[in-house]
Amino acid sequence: GIFKKRDIFLLFFCCRFRIVSWILPKILHDKKFMDRRFCQGKLSAGFRKPVLILVLVLALIVLCGCAEIKITHPLGKQIMLEIDDAQCTIGTAVLRLMEAKEEYKSSEDDVLWIRTIGDTTLADYVKNTVKEEIFRYTAAQVMARDLTIFITDEERSKAEQDARNLLDYLETRYNLSHYNISSKDAVDLFLKRTYYNKVYEKLSENILMEISESEIKAIEIDYVFIPAEDGIEVAERMRNELRGGAEFAAVCADYGYEAVLNQTMKKGTMPAAFETKAYALRDNEISEIVETRDGYYIIYCLEDYKVAESLANKNMMISDGKRTRFQQAYETFAATAKMRFNDAEWDKLDIISME
């Protein structure tokens, strides 16, 4: 008859099992079996154990069949991080740590570094931030190829000049030779940073098309909240007085409520019903009563478009959007990339005592 793939697989597996089941007992119970069977009695005692181990491993491979052996070379002596075929040297990582330390330089250095940020010290926070940076910088070198991003001659020249400037500055403050830091390490730091910036911008080049004018719009309002237990009638009387031209803060005070005055508002900061009514207003308009589960709002629009604040919102949304785009791309890349980090060398670095 015609064999199915499953039948062929089972037959192949059974054959392998018979071979292994025949040879393993002989190896385990007859120490001279390998010598007699394959080496004609010429296998010296010193070689029997390594050969036995090799045969056992091969037997297991034959039995498992589908097992995949991956042999990876150890990280080089001067390598801190390797992502696929891109590397970051220890010198480059140390340079970035020194650069970061200088950004936090203070006359209270000894006290500064042990201050806490959340559940960690500033020293550990900075070190962890730099570690994340070098991962992203190095990953960007690999990601750049898929995005057809390259370094121009002008960008390379700038990286070399920036590297010289950084080394000139740090040489007066640190013993760079102690860390075997070279000019190549410094150039590599700036080239990595250039790749990162270019990848970051490339991934978000169309971000503006996804941001609408209504999303960035900021307005300025006065408003007051009337609790539900006070009743909608109170809110209606107050609104009528305001529509008659009474001053907002004065009406609120007369009824015993505290008005919120000159409030700059942007999307997503107030309840949806409140937001809808507020953004529909024009300058000097009073809203209808806004009903919510907890009570009622009355809104007075002072300015229906704050130019500077709207621009600030736009820039913030662009920045957040770019960060999100890169994070998503980086996580996707990292899920399949081969990453190795030299934890032993990294743990030796102490940002406080670095000099």
Side-chain angles (χ1 to χ4, degrees):
I2 300 174
F3 283 105
K4 295 182 179 179
K5 288 183 179 179
R6 180 187 61 190
D7 299 324
I8 295 172
F9 172 78
L10 288 174
L11 180 63
F12 184 55
F13 180 82
C14 289
C15 291
R16 286 185 303 175
F17 184 79
R18 286 296 300 269
I19 294 170
V20 174
S21 63
W22 172 75
I23 198 172
L24 278 181
K26 292 187 176 295
I27 293 173
L28 295 173
H29 295 99
D30 186 351
K31 295 181 179 178
K32 296 183 178 181
F33 172 78
M34 286 296 298
D35 192 8
R36 293 198 311 271
R37 187 71 178 178
F38 300 108
C39 302
Q40 291 79 46
K42 298 177 182 180
L43 188 65
S44 65
F47 284 98
R48 282 181 185 140
K49 186 174 181 181
V51 171
L52 176 59
I53 293 172
L54 177 61
V55 171
L56 286 172
V57 170
L58 291 174
L60 288 172
I61 292 173
V62 171
L63 184 59
C64 296
C66 298
E68 180 182 356
I69 297 178
K70 294 182 179 179
I71 302 175
T72 57
H73 62 279
L75 280 175
K77 186 177 179 181
Q78 294 301 319
I79 303 303
M80 183 65 79
L81 170 67
E82 183 177 84
I83 300 179
D84 290 346
D85 60 348
Q87 295 179 332
C88 176
T89 65
I90 293 174
T92 298
V94 172
L95 272 176
R96 179 62 194 119
L97 268 178
M98 291 175 175
E99 191 181 39
K101 182 175 181 178
E102 290 301 304
E103 292 168 5
Y104 285 87
K105 202 72 174 178
S106 167
S107 58
E108 306 177 273
D109 269 2
D110 293 339
V111 178
L112 174 72
W113 295 109
I114 62 173
R115 289 177 179 167
T116 57
I117 297 179
D119 58 353
T120 188
T121 63
L122 177 62
D124 287 339
Y125 170 79
V126 172
K127 192 176 178 185
N128 290 336
T129 300
V130 169
K131 181 179 178 179
E132 180 62 25
E133 280 183 5
I134 63 175
F135 264 89
R136 289 170 182 266
Y137 286 178
T138 308
Q141 284 185 289
V142 184
M143 294 167 71
R145 289 199 294 267
D146 294 333
L147 296 169
T148 61
I149 292 173
F150 305 98
I151 297 292
T152 66
D153 291 341
E154 183 180 355
E155 288 167 335
R156 184 173 294 277
S157 296
K158 185 178 186 308
E160 292 170 353
Q161 182 59 54
D162 290 341
R164 286 192 291 270
N165 293 340
L166 178 63
L167 289 176
D168 289 344
Y169 174 77
L170 293 179
E171 278 175 348
T172 63
R173 293 162 171 78
Y174 301 92
N175 181 7
L176 300 185
S177 60
H178 174 74
Y179 298 97
N180 296 317
I181 292 172
S182 67
S183 59
K184 184 178 178 181
D185 294 324
V187 172
D188 187 51
L189 173 61
F190 286 97
L191 287 177
K192 279 177 164 54
R193 190 172 286 160
T194 303
Y195 272 118
Y196 172 78
N197 290 335
K198 295 185 78 167
V199 169
Y200 194 88
E201 292 300 322
K202 178 70 173 179
L203 290 171
S204 56
E205 59 187 3
N206 297 320
I207 197 75
L208 271 174
M209 297 176 64
E210 300 175 11
I211 300 174
S212 66
E213 189 66 25
S214 62
E215 288 179 292
I216 68 169
K217 181 180 176 182
I219 61 177
E220 185 177 358
I221 58 173
D222 294 338
Y223 71 89
V224 63
F225 175 73
I226 300 99
E229 56 267 24
D230 292 354
I232 193 171
E233 296 81 6
V234 174
E236 288 173 342
R237 289 199 299 271
M238 291 177 65
R239 181 173 181 274
N240 289 334
E241 291 186 31
L242 291 169
R243 291 188 67 192
E247 200 266 328
F248 198 91
V251 171
C252 294
D254 288 345
Y255 282 83
Y257 301 115
E258 184 175 354
V260 178
L261 304 174
N262 305 107
Q263 177 74 36
T264 298
M265 175 184 166
K266 62 181 181 179
K267 288 286 184 73
T269 57
M270 295 295 287
F274 183 105
E275 186 177 280
T276 299
K277 295 292 184 182
Y279 272 81
L281 297 173
R282 295 293 178 260
D283 290 356
N284 303 315
E285 283 187 345
I286 296 286
S287 71
E288 297 176 0
I289 294 171
V290 181
E291 293 191 43
T292 67
R293 183 178 60 183
D294 300 320
Y296 312 97
Y297 287 96
I298 302 172
I299 309 165
Y300 175 63
C301 180
L302 297 167
E303 190 173 348
D304 62 15
Y305 192 89
K306 301 280 289 181
V307 176
E309 289 80 357
S310 297
L311 180 59
N313 286 343
K314 179 180 180 180
N315 292 335
M316 184 182 69
M317 291 183 71
I318 291 173
S319 179
D320 290 345
K322 287 181 176 182
R323 193 159 43 244
T324 300
R325 285 279 187 87
F326 181 85
Q327 183 64 24
Q328 290 171 343
Y330 174 71
E331 289 175 0
T332 300
F333 167 81
T336 57
K338 296 176 183 177
M339 298 187 178
R340 294 191 298 156
F341 187 70
N342 197 334
D343 290 289
E345 290 298 325
W346 181 256
D347 291 341
K348 292 178 185 177
L349 299 175
D350 180 11
I351 196 169
I352 301 175
S353 61
M354 188 178 286
E355 57 182 25

